[in-house]
């Protein structure tokens, strides 16, 4: 049925670069040594949640950008730093604070109060965090915090492989799930689901690499709120790792440039252009699916809750309730600061691209709702009628 996606922060571009320090393995959990932290970092971690060594490396990378005058990157930039650090959890969030000094107790308390407001009321038991602080050339101090919700952990998976090599993926679920799937996306190929199975709370898959290049892997678990990516990893086959270009647009992204066209039409143009880029025909807009999608997008925007089930049933429940009986169906949902960013991240996600390029669909419903902050809440419903 697809997955959900949340996006944060604006960033800047940079060129491809080889990463000599790219982690040898993707894995979690990897605890942080609290004794190595500065006082403000310990204070932040105490309020944020369990420390994760890979996220600390990500926070350090983002801190270097901030101290050199840059800004926090988009989701894809943060995710690239995660993959380079071997940190496998999707949906990162990043936050930073700057002050003349973060050393006095009063300054630390003030900073932590701002952090509390940003963290919100999420599930602390699932939250993992990375923190880093440093001094800028002008003497000011900056704190960076990166968080994820760890619905699963990943047993060590190599980040380098050879063509034809067999890989074993093992994810340990940390939340109840009724099922799971493993989707892979390799260079020049289409996303595909590989054979996987669940034993207790462990999801396993074993498959062979098919061609050189970057191979992206994603485990999607069927949680109470619907299908959701719970771990992701990148394997480089017969080549050295690169971080990639942070703002590389997805096919069709520029077709949705701001103009007077309604948001849903802009997003539909992006989807049509993306499908055309791989030789697929456009999907017909269906007004019934549009109405179902809009109701769900409005619910998510009002509650600021991203889920396939926002109290209105799962996607199939909503289709059936509206009298639509599909032969098959899928749904993508996303929350982003812009429509191009939402489309870019959906395209980059193996399970979401699987829906975007679904060959078993002949129609789609598209809806975009904006909340009071101006953020975009997107629903893409794909289906084929009986």
């Amino acid at each position: 049925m697809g997955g959900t996606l949340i996006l944060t922060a604006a960033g800047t571009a940079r060129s491809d670069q080889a990463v000599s320090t790219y982690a040898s393995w993707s894995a979690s959990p990897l605890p942080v040594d609290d004794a190595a932290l500065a006082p403000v970092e310990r204070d932040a971690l105490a309020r944020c949640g369990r420390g994760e060594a890979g996220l600390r490396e990500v926070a350090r990378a983002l801190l270097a950008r901030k101290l050199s005058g840059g800004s926090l990157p988009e989701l894809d930039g943060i995710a690239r730093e995660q993959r380079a650090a071997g940190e496998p959890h999707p949906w990162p969030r990043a936050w930073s604070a700057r002050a003349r000094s973060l050393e006095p107790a009063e300054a630390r308390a003030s900073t932590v109060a701002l952090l509390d407001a940003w963290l919100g009321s999420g599930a602390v038991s699932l939250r993992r965090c990375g923190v880093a602080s440093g001094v800028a050339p002008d003497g000011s101090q900056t704190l960076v915090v990166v968080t994820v919700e760890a619905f699963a952990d990943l047993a060590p998976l190599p980040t380098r492989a050879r063509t034809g090599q067999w890989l074993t993926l093992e994810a340990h679920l940390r939340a109840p799930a009724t099922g799971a799937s493993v989707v892979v996306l390799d260079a020049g190929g289409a996303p595909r689901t590989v054979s996987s199975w669940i034993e207790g709370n462990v999801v396993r898959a074993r498959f062979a690499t098919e061609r050189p290049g970057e191979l992206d892997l994603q485990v999607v678990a069927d949680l109470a709120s619907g299908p959701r990516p719970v771990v992701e990893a990148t394997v480089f086959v017969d080549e050295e790792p690169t971080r990639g270009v942070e703002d590389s647009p997805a096919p069709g992204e520029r077709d949705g440039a701001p103009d007077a066209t309604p948001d849903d039409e802009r997003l539909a143009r992006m989807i049509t252009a993306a499908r055309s880029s791989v030789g697929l025909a456009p999907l017909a807009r269906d007004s019934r699916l549009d109405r179902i999608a809009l109701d769900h997008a409005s619910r998510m925007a009002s509650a600021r809750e991203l889920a396939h089930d926002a109290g209105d049933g799962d996607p199939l429940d909503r289709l059936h309730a509206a009298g639509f009986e599909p032969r098959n169906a899928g749904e993508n949902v996303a929350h982003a600061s812009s429509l191009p960013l939402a489309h870019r991240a959906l395209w980059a996600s193996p399970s979401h691209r699987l829906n975007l390029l679904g060959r078993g669909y002949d129609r789609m419903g598209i809806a975009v709702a904006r909340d009071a902050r101006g953020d975009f809440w997107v629903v893409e419903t794909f289906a084929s009628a009986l």
Side-chain angles (χ1 to χ4, degrees):
M1 291 298 295
T4 51
L5 214 42
I6 188 166
L7 303 111
T8 59
T12 56
R14 59 178 168 75
S15 301
D16 281 0
Q17 56 178 317
V19 182
S20 59
T21 58
Y22 209 99
S24 298
W25 301 85
S26 295
S28 67
L30 298 173
V32 170
D33 180 7
D34 289 357
L37 302 178
V40 68
E41 295 171 349
R42 285 196 293 271
D43 288 353
L45 200 57
R47 306 304 287 270
C48 183
R50 177 176 175 177
E52 184 73 39
L55 290 176
R56 177 159 169 77
E57 292 304 309
V58 176
R60 284 173 168 168
L62 301 190
L63 175 66
R65 295 174 60 117
K66 294 291 292 182
L67 294 181
S68 63
S71 57
L72 295 178
E74 302 281 12
L75 173 71
D76 55 347
I78 301 173
R80 283 291 186 178
E81 297 291 356
Q82 284 183 278
R83 301 297 90 83
E87 210 293 313
H89 299 106
W91 299 14
R93 301 173 63 209
W95 174 88
S96 68
R98 178 174 173 270
R100 185 177 300 275
S101 175
L102 294 173
E103 294 175 358
E106 308 82 47
R108 299 204 306 271
S110 176
T111 300
V112 169
L114 294 173
L115 175 61
D116 280 342
W118 176 76
L119 288 171
S121 57
V124 178
S125 62
L126 294 175
R127 188 186 295 150
R128 300 277 176 80
C129 307
V131 297
S133 62
V135 181
D138 64 2
S140 64
Q141 292 182 278
T142 296
L143 172 70
V144 172
V145 178
V146 181
T147 72
V148 296
E149 287 186 288
F151 285 89
D153 281 309
L154 181 66
L157 180 76
T159 55
R160 295 170 175 83
R162 302 179 307 279
T163 300
Q165 179 177 337
W166 284 86
L167 298 175
T168 300
L169 181 149
E170 181 178 301
H172 295 251
L173 299 173
R174 304 183 63 246
T178 57
S181 60
V182 177
V183 186
V184 301
L185 173 63
D186 57 21
R192 66 186 190 279
T193 302
V194 299
S195 178
S196 63
W197 63 96
I198 299 181
E199 297 176 358
N201 70 328
V202 180
V203 181
R204 290 186 175 89
R206 184 165 170 75
F207 55 94
T209 61
E210 295 186 349
R211 54 176 61 85
E214 182 176 323
L215 176 68
D216 296 315
L217 306 103
Q218 187 179 72
V219 177
V220 180
D222 298 321
L223 305 178
S225 59
R228 169 172 176 151
V230 292
V231 293
E232 298 176 338
T234 299
V235 177
F236 292 87
V237 182
D238 292 333
E239 67 176 31
E240 277 303 299
T242 58
R243 292 183 192 270
V245 179
E246 291 174 6
D247 66 349
S248 179
E253 182 176 322
R254 293 197 173 99
D255 291 71
D259 56 25
T261 305
D263 291 336
D264 62 315
E265 289 290 343
R266 290 171 55 205
L267 185 58
R269 287 193 317 215
M270 293 187 229
I271 293 171
T272 295
R275 288 177 58 86
S276 177
S277 73
V278 295
L280 293 179
L283 298 174
R285 288 286 295 275
D286 188 304
S287 60
R288 295 170 297 171
L289 297 182
D290 284 344
R291 288 192 294 271
I292 297 168
L294 181 58
D295 180 66
H296 189 61
S298 299
R299 281 175 173 268
M300 292 193 302
S302 178
R304 291 192 61 81
E305 177 188 3
L306 191 71
H308 287 288
D309 185 347
D312 52 352
D314 67 27
L316 283 176
D317 290 337
R318 287 183 267 117
L319 290 173
H320 293 321
F324 190 96
E325 299 297 329
R327 185 168 64 251
N328 51 55
E331 179 177 84
N332 290 340
V333 299
H335 165 213
S337 59
S338 73
L339 282 182
L341 177 56
H343 177 68
R344 184 191 309 173
L346 289 170
W347 179 260
S349 167
S351 60
H352 294 87
R353 193 187 300 192
L354 195 62
N355 273 340
L356 286 167
L357 302 182
R359 296 176 183 272
Y361 305 136
D362 58 20
R363 64 198 67 200
M364 64 181 179
I366 305 298
V368 180
R370 298 200 197 189
D371 62 23
R373 299 181 185 180
D375 288 352
F376 294 76
W377 297 80
V378 167
V379 177
E380 302 171 346
T381 302
F382 307 98
S384 291
L386 288 175

